Amino acid sequence: MSAVRVLPCTGLQGSTTLPGDKSISHRALLLGALANGPSTINNFLPGGDCLATAGALRALGISIETPSERTVIVHGRGLNGLQPSHSPINCVRSGTTMRLLAGLLAGQSFSSILTGEEQLLRRPMERVAIPLRQMGAEIQTTNGHAPLHIQGRRLHGTQLTLEVPSAQVKSAILLAALYADSPTTIQETAPTRDHTERMLQAMGAVLEVHTSNKYRKMTLFPHRHPLTPLEIEVPGDFSSAAFPLVAALIIPGSHIHLKNIGINPTRTGLLDALIQMGASVRIHNERLVANEPAADLEVQSSQLKAIEIAGDLVVRMIDEFPIFAIAATQAQGKTVVRDAAELRVKETDRIATVVTELRKLGAVIVERLDGFEITGPVKLQSAAVSSHGDHRLAMALFVAGLIARDPIFIDDVACAADSFPGFLETMQSLGAEYASN
Ligand code: S3P
């Protein structure tokens, strides 16, 4: 636990880079472990969640070196090089670690148990077990949750429709499909993030992707050749950039540059929403980094107006609702978020926790079963708020503190390091002030 008092801010200025993308860092570790030979991952995210994936792979016999904090070398042992773990594998608080590993371990020749901390044990796991069972996997959940008991087995390719629009589930199926005895076809029903597909293709996997029924449909052919090791630079995480980005938009007099940020369109729903709301965000220097689109963002404070968010846009900004809610408190009019019931099964029930904490700050917010409604603009007031141990809520509340009338007190911001180590220092470098309590 580390509590902070956040002070009102008179404007953010300057330029910063952001830590590497969390989703890409997880995948680089996992796929690197399956390649034949060492993969080098530069600008790796040393956040709690990715360190959980590294720990899990080490338990499965993979050697991982860290020559510097943000460079990782994974010594891949090939598709059949994993070894059984002697004890249950601890995925800590990371849903991505657990769900992707479930897919990877389903087709091994040994059994595994996946477990984690209480926050993770509350999250739904049948969503990944059900499609894997359709491929022949033997997975038992614990009343729908972890611990997961996986008995590795020979898997069969099949045709699946992604019932839950989740990139974690899709990626678990793709990892399992590498081991299946025939091709696996997945039909998406929403635009979920496509980092696994991009990385598999870059490593030489035979993955055909096309559009069917408006969404992507992909077929992965079982892999008979070794995957090519990676040599990548991970772009900065858009989901981390979201915090200084929104802060600069809503704190008058701000003007900042965020360098080398991933702008994969499956991830930038928040940017599209903010631009529709009147945000001044300019995109410079667009390029491809590690087969992923990246750019520099220039952000200036802006008058925002309310918007309605629903449908596919929800999926493309699924991690950004806590910080989006802060932006909505400063927008003119009633912002409505619908079709977002998935937020109830994230690190916390993010509809309930956002509503509870923002109300303490004086926000005009109404809870919906599938989202929330916020009427603004409102000058936020001083209060003691709780992050509930949820990294993205902690960082969103910190940004709320910067625009509040008086200092606000947050009980725990240490959890920010699950996805954004150095969050406080980055915000401070742009002009934010806080005191540790
Ligand atoms: C992630 C996918 C998303 C996201 C999570 C990371 C990933 O979860 O919320 O933070 O890396 O695949 P879902 O796939 O469950 O939507």
Side-chain angles (χ1 to χ4, degrees):
M1 295 279 259
S2 102
V4 295
R5 202 159 55 89
V6 189
L7 307 178
C9 175
T10 53
L12 295 182
Q13 305 292 334
S15 164
T16 187
T17 55
L18 277 300
D21 187 277
K22 178 159 86 75
S23 294
I24 298 174
S25 295
H26 278 297
R27 286 155 173 80
L29 286 174
L30 289 163
L31 291 177
L34 306 183
N36 268 39
S39 286
T40 305
I41 312 166
N42 294 305
N43 199 32
F44 170 79
L45 172 70
D49 284 7
C50 296
L51 296 179
T53 293
L57 289 171
R58 286 193 175 108
L60 292 162
I62 299 295
S63 146
I64 299 175
E65 284 174 77
T66 48
S68 72
E69 202 202 9
R70 305 225 159 173
T71 301
V72 164
I73 301 173
V74 188
H75 292 273
R77 292 167 49 94
L79 276 172
N80 297 308
L82 297 180
Q83 293 166 352
S85 167
H86 301 301
S87 50
I89 296 171
N90 184 359
C91 302
V92 195
R93 290 192 293 272
S94 173
T96 309
T97 306
M98 182 169 284
R99 295 192 179 122
L100 270 58
L101 271 180
L104 177 55
L105 294 173
Q108 304 296 325
S109 58
F110 53 82
S111 58
S112 312
I113 299 175
L114 298 179
T115 189
E117 289 187 6
E118 199 202 319
Q119 188 191 82
L120 181 56
L121 300 187
R122 285 198 296 263
R123 299 184 68 184
M125 291 297 151
E126 277 297 326
R127 55 176 55 195
V128 72
I130 290 169
L132 291 173
R133 284 188 201 118
Q134 277 188 55
M135 300 175 74
E138 200 179 317
I139 302 186
Q140 278 172 301
T141 63
T142 308
N143 297 323
H145 302 265
L148 303 182
H149 293 256
I150 302 171
Q151 178 61 58
R153 268 178 158 227
R154 183 147 191 83
L155 302 178
H156 315 295
T158 183
Q159 301 228 359
L160 293 153
T161 298
L162 211 56
E163 304 294 350
V164 182
S166 159
Q168 293 178 353
V169 174
K170 176 180 62 178
S171 301
I173 299 168
L174 287 170
L175 287 167
L178 288 171
Y179 294 89
D181 57 11
S182 54
T184 302
T185 298
I186 307 171
Q187 170 71 61
E188 285 201 280
T189 52
T192 68
R193 62 193 69 189
D194 64 354
H195 307 300
T196 308
E197 296 92 299
R198 287 170 182 266
M199 201 174 284
L200 277 170
Q201 284 171 330
M203 296 175 84
V206 184
L207 175 66
E208 288 170 4
V209 184
H210 62 274
T211 303
S212 163
N213 296 333
K214 184 171 153 210
Y215 299 111
R216 281 183 307 246
K217 183 174 186 173
M218 62 201 78
T219 300
L220 181 68
F221 293 81
H223 215 63
R224 302 284 171 246
H225 311 288
L227 290 170
T228 312
L230 294 161
E231 179 75 48
I232 63 165
E233 176 83 28
V234 179
D237 197 327
F238 180 81
S239 294
S240 298
F243 299 98
L245 192 159
V246 167
L249 286 174
I250 60 180
I251 303 169
S254 299
H255 185 185
I256 63 168
H257 292 262
L258 303 169
K259 302 271 187 169
N260 194 28
I261 311 300
I263 55 160
N264 180 319
T266 60
R267 296 287 301 282
T268 50
L270 175 76
L271 191 56
D272 296 349
L274 291 169
I275 288 172
Q276 269 191 58
M277 294 168 83
S280 166
V281 182
R282 268 186 261 166
I283 300 175
H284 301 290
N285 199 11
E286 277 188 66
R287 58 202 182 272
L288 268 189
V289 176
N291 207 23
E292 292 276 347
D296 304 330
L297 306 179
E298 180 182 1
V299 190
Q300 273 181 288
S301 38
S302 311
Q303 285 292 331
L304 300 179
K305 49 186 189 310
I307 189 180
E308 290 212 10
I309 307 275
D312 288 352
L313 185 54
V314 170
V315 179
R316 293 178 50 245
M317 57 184 283
I318 192 66
D319 289 335
E320 277 61 79
F321 284 97
I323 188 63
F324 176 73
I326 308 300
T329 67
Q330 303 309 301
Q332 182 75 47
K334 182 157 89 173
T335 291
V336 181
V337 173
R338 287 187 279 118
D339 302 335
E342 179 67 13
L343 295 176
R344 295 206 181 268
V345 291
K346 289 295 178 189
E347 283 79 338
T348 57
D349 173 344
R350 283 188 177 153
I351 296 177
T353 51
V354 163
V355 169
T356 306
E357 300 311 316
L358 286 199
R359 245 184 220 145
K360 293 179 188 165
L361 294 169
V364 182
I365 181 164
V366 176
E367 180 165 354
R368 294 172 55 101
L369 280 177
D370 66 344
F372 47 77
E373 298 175 3
I374 296 179
T375 305
V378 162
K379 189 77 194 156
L380 298 179
Q381 68 202 25
S382 175
V385 289
S386 173
S387 67
H388 300 257
D390 180 335
H391 53 130
R392 300 201 201 277
L393 183 59
M395 293 186 276
L397 290 171
F398 184 95
V399 172
L402 300 177
I403 46 154
R405 195 191 310 266
D406 295 302
I408 77 161
F409 175 86
I410 311 173
D411 64 346
D412 170 22
V413 288
C415 57
D418 285 353
S419 64
F420 192 162
F423 168 73
L424 291 175
E425 293 76 7
T426 299
M427 294 306 291
Q428 197 173 35
S429 76
L430 296 171
E433 287 183 69
Y434 65 93
S436 299
N437 269 68

